Amino acid sequence: MPKTVCFTTLGCKVNQYDTQAMLEQFEQKGYRAAEPGAAADVYVVNTCTVTGTGDKKSLQIIRRCRRRNPQAQLVVTGCLAQRLGEKLRDTGARLILGNQYRARVVELLEKAVAENTQIVAVEAVEGVPYEMLSIHSHEGHTRAVMKIQEGCDNRCTYCIIPSVRGSIRSRPLQAIREEAQALAQAGFQELVLTGIHLTSYGRDLADHPSLAQAVKAACVEGVTRIRLGSLEPRVAGEAFVQELCQLPQLCPQFHLALQSGSDSVLRRMKRGYNTTQFMAAVERIRAAWPMAAFTTDVIVGFPGETEEEFEQTLRFCQSVGFARLHVFPFSPRETTPAAQMPDQIAESVKADRVRRLIALGDGLAADYRRGFLGKTVPVLVEEPDHDGGMAGYTPEYIHVRVPEGKSGSIVSVRLTALTEEGMTGEIV
């Protein structure tokens, strides 16, 4: 029987891509993928360290895998592995793999097993070249995540990511085109372009291609939808918006990372933009796609955040009319400037502000979806729904339940009602 490998992935879409690339490395060596939670010969935990919660969940899953099958080989990889390295030896992992050498994951694991030793393959990621991982499928999905950029040169005061992902590195246009063609041939109609700091795509390459050019490179025959990962508002200039308007495959859903709706908090975060610039980006995009969905991340309880600054965030989110808010309490990360700032906010205050902002976000999301009632929209059918029907997503990333449909097909649906998480509709 072939050996089995079970992956658990925490954190961002970049991690999802890295997991798929490593899974394909195992499959090429004859391993078979095991279902999440199943017993396996090898467990790979692709970790996250962006928040304290990410650390905690990663370590919990590592321990759970060890308990599930003490005889199995354990691989710990990703951002927590990059940050802690040697300190993770006591997890019993056979291989501790940072954010390089992922294309060698099977080779390094089998070397460690053959030599009956632990290998810690963690080196500094500063100044390293783009690691040319590739994928040809995406297990269990009708859309594929495609990484086109790695690393970040920003130094936001709260963020640990540059230290574990390194400086910006971009995937060349031809490599983007080739991987998009491979995924289209595998049957994927939707590609999600992602990166650690997608806004900076191309700055490190000799010919300085733009992000818009990268999006165009992914628009190959057979791909009907292109969705963008997280962007900063400064990328959404007039030229960028006009270039994207020429691409019918582009989904009008834009994740513009806000972090705070208070200019004074944004300055303390060193985000490099203010709310006026953010709103200008929204208006430019909305002029091109009037029903565009805007989603965002917001950190509450940043050091020194007053009640008035928090209320500025509430008012700004209301004025933008976000389709979805992802809300996080500030999590101090060791070695970051924000962790040393005075006036750290009490956890009880953070929890209250998280609750209030989530409540606002739920209302905004319902308001946004209400604007689609009675409209007929294309839905990419993805998976069975709990009520015996099927479910999928509109180009604006509205979750829609339909009575029937084949996974991977795009059907026309008239939207008839709101649900707690999305909408219901009937095929027309």
Side-chain angles (χ1 to χ4, degrees):
M1 292 290 292
K3 293 182 179 179
T4 54
V5 58
C6 181
F7 275 80
T8 304
T9 308
L10 297 100
C12 62
K13 283 185 169 59
V14 173
N15 263 15
Q16 293 176 24
Y17 178 91
D18 293 340
T19 284
Q20 181 63 31
M22 287 187 286
L23 172 59
E24 291 188 15
Q25 296 291 326
F26 276 97
E27 289 176 334
Q28 288 169 15
K29 296 292 186 179
Y31 288 74
R32 180 172 54 83
E35 292 294 321
D41 300 304
V42 178
Y43 293 101
V44 183
V45 183
N46 197 355
T47 61
C48 175
T49 193
V50 71
T51 65
T53 300
D55 286 356
K56 183 177 179 180
K57 286 183 177 178
S58 296
L59 292 169
Q60 285 175 339
I61 290 170
I62 290 166
R63 289 192 291 269
R64 191 180 306 153
C65 290
R66 175 57 67 209
R67 289 195 302 270
R68 188 175 297 142
N69 184 357
Q71 305 307 313
Q73 304 301 330
L74 177 62
V75 178
V76 178
T77 186
C79 290
L80 183 64
Q82 181 67 38
R83 185 167 74 84
L84 295 185
E86 294 281 347
K87 295 179 181 178
L88 292 173
R89 281 188 180 273
D90 62 1
T91 63
R94 180 67 76 175
L95 173 63
I96 299 161
L97 185 69
N99 284 327
Q100 284 287 309
Y101 309 126
R102 286 165 295 205
R104 298 176 56 198
V105 58
V106 184
E107 171 199 340
L108 292 171
L109 172 62
E110 293 183 345
K111 174 180 170 63
V113 171
E115 297 176 359
N116 193 28
T117 188
Q118 277 184 312
I119 291 180
V120 180
V122 178
E123 295 186 11
V125 286
E126 203 59 46
V128 299
Y130 186 88
E131 187 180 22
M132 291 297 288
L133 299 172
S134 63
I135 66 173
H136 299 86
S137 64
H138 207 127
E139 203 69 30
H141 295 280
T142 57
R143 79 172 71 91
V145 174
M146 194 168 89
K147 184 170 77 171
I148 66 170
Q149 187 276 335
E150 176 69 272
C152 182
D153 288 346
N154 289 355
R155 289 294 184 267
C156 299
T157 57
Y158 57 86
C159 188
I160 199 171
I161 293 304
S163 66
V164 294
R165 286 285 183 171
S167 57
I168 62 170
R169 290 99 76 199
S170 304
R171 190 174 199 136
L173 294 177
Q174 183 58 31
I176 292 173
R177 192 173 294 109
E178 289 170 357
E179 184 158 274
Q181 289 168 341
L183 291 169
Q185 289 169 6
F188 292 96
Q189 294 198 56
E190 181 175 316
L191 304 182
V192 183
L193 305 188
T194 191
I196 294 298
H197 190 245
L198 201 56
T199 298
S200 65
Y201 173 83
R203 293 179 193 170
D204 58 307
L205 297 177
D207 52 349
H208 302 298
S210 67
L211 178 57
Q213 287 176 285
V215 178
K216 187 175 181 179
C219 292
V220 300
E221 184 178 355
V223 172
T224 56
R225 290 185 178 183
I226 296 288
R227 200 177 294 279
L228 292 176
S230 181
L231 302 172
E232 287 191 2
R234 54 188 166 188
V235 77
E238 192 63 41
F240 179 76
V241 172
Q242 290 307 312
E243 284 185 81
L244 294 191
C245 279
Q246 309 306 311
L247 305 175
Q249 297 99 320
L250 186 79
C251 290
Q253 181 236 333
F254 298 89
H255 188 90
L256 296 182
L258 176 62
Q259 307 305 357
S260 176
S262 165
D263 287 341
S264 50
V265 174
L266 289 173
R267 285 193 295 271
R268 295 201 296 276
M269 290 178 167
K270 291 192 175 178
R271 286 296 291 169
Y273 56 81
N274 57 36
T275 54
T276 299
Q277 293 165 324
F278 191 101
M279 185 61 83
V282 168
E283 290 171 351
R284 279 191 290 271
I285 293 170
R286 204 165 260 157
W289 296 276
M291 293 298 290
F294 291 95
T295 60
T296 200
D297 303 317
V298 181
I299 297 171
V300 301
F302 191 78
E305 183 185 63
T306 64
E307 180 63 22
E308 172 55 27
E309 287 173 328
F310 175 67
E311 288 178 0
Q312 288 170 3
T313 293
L314 290 174
R315 291 193 294 270
F316 187 73
C317 289
Q318 181 83 54
S319 67
V320 172
F322 287 107
R324 184 175 299 177
L325 292 180
H326 302 273
V327 184
F328 306 91
F330 170 72
S331 178
R333 310 306 289 137
E334 188 180 358
T335 74
T336 64
Q340 311 304 320
M341 287 180 177
D343 302 320
Q344 298 284 326
I345 306 300
E347 294 301 319
S348 59
V349 174
K350 292 180 193 176
D352 178 66
R353 291 177 182 174
V354 165
R355 178 189 59 77
R356 290 160 63 190
L357 190 53
I358 287 176
L360 173 65
D362 289 344
L364 292 175
D367 289 344
Y368 177 74
R369 297 197 302 274
R370 198 169 287 115
F372 283 83
L373 282 171
K375 294 182 181 293
T376 298
V377 297
V379 172
L380 174 59
V381 180
E382 296 200 3
E383 58 193 358
D385 192 46
H386 57 77
D387 64 355
M390 297 293 288
Y393 289 88
T394 72
E396 297 81 11
Y397 208 64
I398 298 173
H399 182 268
V400 178
R401 289 160 51 192
V402 293
E404 59 186 0
K406 181 181 178 182
S407 180
S409 64
I410 294 180
V411 295
S412 291
V413 177
R414 188 172 69 85
L415 300 176
T416 56
L418 270 64
T419 65
E420 186 174 341
E421 73 281 2
M423 302 186 76
T424 59
E426 54 188 25
I427 297 174
V428 297

